[in-house]
Amino acid sequence: WHTLGVACVLAEACWWPSLQYLIEHDFPRWLILFSTYYLVSTDFWFWPQLLQVDPERWGLTAAIEQAPPETRRAIEDASAGLAVVVLLPLIACGAAASLIVWRENPRLCMLMTVGYVSAMGLLLLFRNATPRQVAAAGQLPIAGAFLFMAREQLGAAHGDYVTWKVQAGIVVLFLAGCWPVAAFSPGGWDDEDTVAKVAFLVFHLCCKLWLAGACRAVRAVTLGRPSPSP
């Protein structure tokens, strides 16, 4: 699965010319495709995988623990400096983005703040929960935030109040296919993880076909031919 994930990421470079073409010729259609793909990728792939990362299993961690005290202190100092270099720009970018969102849509900014604070509170409240339980509990608020942003941005900018409903249906289909497996199958969360990965792979392929069809439709309109429905 890790190899497959890397292959999917590398495949994005091959699809970039198509994405760029769609951005230049039909930005609203690209925004619909991108927001749908980003929602599912974050909620059902990146978020669960992020919580399953365990640095204690890394060989590098074991090597650092077995190193002499002087070496460990040097590594800790270097890690602290690197963390400052990386985190400060991220915090600055996050603050700037929050300010822009607040000026454009204070309601959206408040909702995102409440969502993040609530998520942190739940994590502190259920400290003994397993990573997969936390991932399952976090999928709903994450999806809700993305759907709210899609409704606000697509609706306000392009008058599109249908896409977010379709995206909500996709989220419901994913949850309806994954959560019952975890609850009733003998393998539990292991089976749920497999189902989620297979579903995400199918969704990834469908998005590529969607992108190809959208580019074909836009090109047909540009060349003056009848536009097939993507």
Side-chain angles (χ1 to χ4, degrees), residues 81-138:
L82 180 61
V84 171
V85 171
V86 173
L87 290 178
L88 282 181
L90 290 178
I91 294 173
C93 291
S98 300
L99 181 60
I100 294 173
V101 173
W102 174 261
R103 289 180 176 178
E104 295 293 332
N105 195 331
R107 181 185 173 190
L108 175 60
C109 187
M110 289 298 297
L111 180 66
M112 293 173 62
T113 302
V114 171
Y116 282 120
V117 172
S118 301
M120 294 301 297
L122 289 174
L123 289 176
L124 293 175
L125 185 62
F126 299 99
R127 291 188 298 271
N128 296 325
T130 64
R132 289 179 179 176
Q133 291 173 338
V134 174

Side-chain angles (χ1 to χ4, degrees), residues 142-215:
I142 291 174
F146 275 106
L147 291 173
F148 182 83
M149 287 189 288
R151 189 187 70 173
E152 291 292 317
Q153 297 302 318
L154 292 173
H158 306 288
D160 181 4
Y161 294 96
V162 177
T163 296
W164 77 271
K165 298 178 182 179
V166 177
Q167 293 175 348
I170 294 174
V171 171
V172 170
L173 287 176
F174 266 83
L175 294 177
C178 295
W179 283 8
V181 174
F184 301 107
S185 68
W189 289 106
D190 291 334
D191 289 345
E192 186 272 344
D193 191 45
T194 302
V195 171
K197 289 175 178 177
V198 172
F200 177 74
L201 175 60
V202 173
F203 175 78
H204 184 89
L205 296 176
C206 290
C207 282
K208 297 309 178 188
L209 294 175
W210 182 8
L211 174 61
C215 290

Side-chain angles (χ1 to χ4, degrees), residues 16-36:
W16 174 246
S18 298
L19 289 172
Q20 187 176 13
Y21 178 82
L22 196 60
I23 291 172
E24 293 175 353
H25 292 84
D26 195 339
F27 182 78
R29 187 175 297 189
W30 169 83
L31 186 60
I32 292 172
L33 173 62
F34 175 78
S35 61
T36 304

